[in-house]
Amino acid sequence: MALHLPKVWILGASSGIGKALAIELDSQGYRLALSARNEEALNHLKSSLSYKHHLVFPLDVNNSAKIHEVSRELANSWGEIDRVVIMSAVYQPMKLGNLELSTVRKIIETNLLSVFNILEVVVPVLRSQNQRSQLAICASAAGYVGLPGSQPYGSSKAGLIHLVESLKAEYGKSIDIKLINPGFVESRLTDKNEFYMPFRITAEKAAKRISSGLNSRKFEIHFPKRFTYLMKLVAFLPYRIYFFFFRQRNDDS
């Protein structure tokens, strides 16, 4: 009997946590389909992995037709998909009153609207399969609470958390839904920040924690815990305390 190698489609695999996750899952014997806009980076990643039969499907997550096309190609190649992991994201630090509106649209489209594009394709596919497949979506601890200077990235991630929660409520019986909320992770995205990032971890450590969480029964995978639990606590503060503290900090900056 042939050994079953779990099959995972990673969207946003060309860099950052998505790339590190691909490397981690490859080391565990998973079969991967790698997607992102950068075909060259995907091919370079594939050539560095130990299993040489991984698949590469370049796509823009804002292109619904291309997502349908790749989904059909995967069905022809694999039959069924064990996991879909959505890691794609765009980030640019900005503050209200000094926004680049074209960049704001790109962030909202990539971080939130594109997930609707993907879900419209993969949810029916995963529900139709003979097995209970998994769908994991990466948001961010930045979506827990509105912080000064976090727009529009934090807003897009807050919306994404809401979306994944409602997805779990609607389809949690037929699909294993996971919400991934990282804190600060070393990447080309956080390299743009000029402020101190507490408890920042490497993408490799983040990938190991995601991999472990995907194999658990928990809904939310969040890390590093010292940071994410602090953010969760801040989100529970009464508004008068929360706004006093953060308004003072923002005015003094």
Side-chain angles (χ1 to χ4, degrees), residues 19-244:
K19 177 180 178 180
L21 181 62
I23 294 171
E24 175 66 24
L25 296 183
D26 169 74
S27 72
Q28 297 178 29
Y30 286 75
R31 293 177 62 183
L32 306 176
L34 308 172
S35 287
R37 287 178 298 175
N38 192 330
E39 183 174 4
E40 181 180 355
L42 291 175
N43 286 324
H44 184 267
L45 171 60
K46 177 185 174 181
S47 68
S48 71
L49 300 177
S50 57
Y51 185 71
K52 300 307 177 185
H53 297 285
H54 297 311
L55 304 175
V56 168
F57 293 106
L59 63 79
D60 183 338
V61 290
N62 295 305
N63 187 333
S64 182
K66 186 63 177 179
I67 297 169
H68 275 281
E69 178 185 324
V70 172
S71 177
R72 288 192 294 268
E73 291 186 40
L74 267 178
N76 292 332
S77 299
W78 281 355
E80 294 190 342
I81 305 171
D82 296 302
R83 292 177 178 172
V84 176
V85 185
I86 304 173
M87 301 295 300
S88 48
V90 173
Y91 171 68
Q92 180 63 45
M94 285 185 280
K95 288 187 176 182
L96 293 176
N98 190 29
L99 298 176
E100 298 174 6
L101 292 180
S102 61
T103 304
V104 171
R105 293 187 185 94
K106 182 179 180 181
I107 290 172
I108 299 298
E109 287 175 357
T110 302
N111 296 358
L112 181 57
L113 296 181
S114 73
V115 178
F116 284 96
N117 293 335
I118 299 166
L119 295 182
E120 283 298 290
V121 175
V122 303
V123 167
V125 170
L126 297 182
R127 294 189 71 208
S128 69
Q129 296 182 159
N130 295 321
Q131 60 180 348
R132 186 170 183 259
S133 300
Q134 186 178 88
L135 174 57
I137 302 171
C138 187
S140 171
Y144 286 157
V145 62
L147 295 173
S150 68
Q151 309 90 0
Y153 179 81
S155 301
S156 70
K157 293 300 186 177
L160 189 53
I161 291 172
H162 185 283
L163 170 58
V164 182
E165 289 171 346
S166 65
L167 187 67
K168 172 71 172 179
E170 291 184 27
Y171 296 115
K173 288 186 177 180
S174 57
I175 304 173
D176 179 20
I177 307 292
K178 301 290 189 188
L179 171 63
I180 305 169
N181 282 325
F184 293 112
V185 177
E186 293 177 7
S187 71
R188 59 182 175 80
L189 300 185
T190 56
D191 285 345
K192 299 177 181 180
N193 291 333
E194 297 179 352
F195 54 83
Y196 172 66
M197 291 170 279
F199 310 117
R200 186 163 68 151
I201 64 173
T202 65
E204 290 73 23
K205 287 184 178 179
K208 289 183 181 298
R209 296 184 188 187
I210 293 172
S211 175
S212 175
L214 294 177
N215 290 318
S216 73
R217 300 183 65 181
K218 65 182 71 172
F219 164 63
E220 185 188 11
I221 305 165
H222 63 97
F223 56 86
K225 295 292 176 49
R226 289 177 295 174
F227 178 73
T228 52
Y229 278 128
L230 176 62
M231 292 294 288
K232 287 175 180 286
L233 178 62
V234 168
F236 278 104
L237 288 175
Y239 277 134
R240 66 181 184 277
I241 298 175
Y242 165 78
F243 286 126
F244 173 80

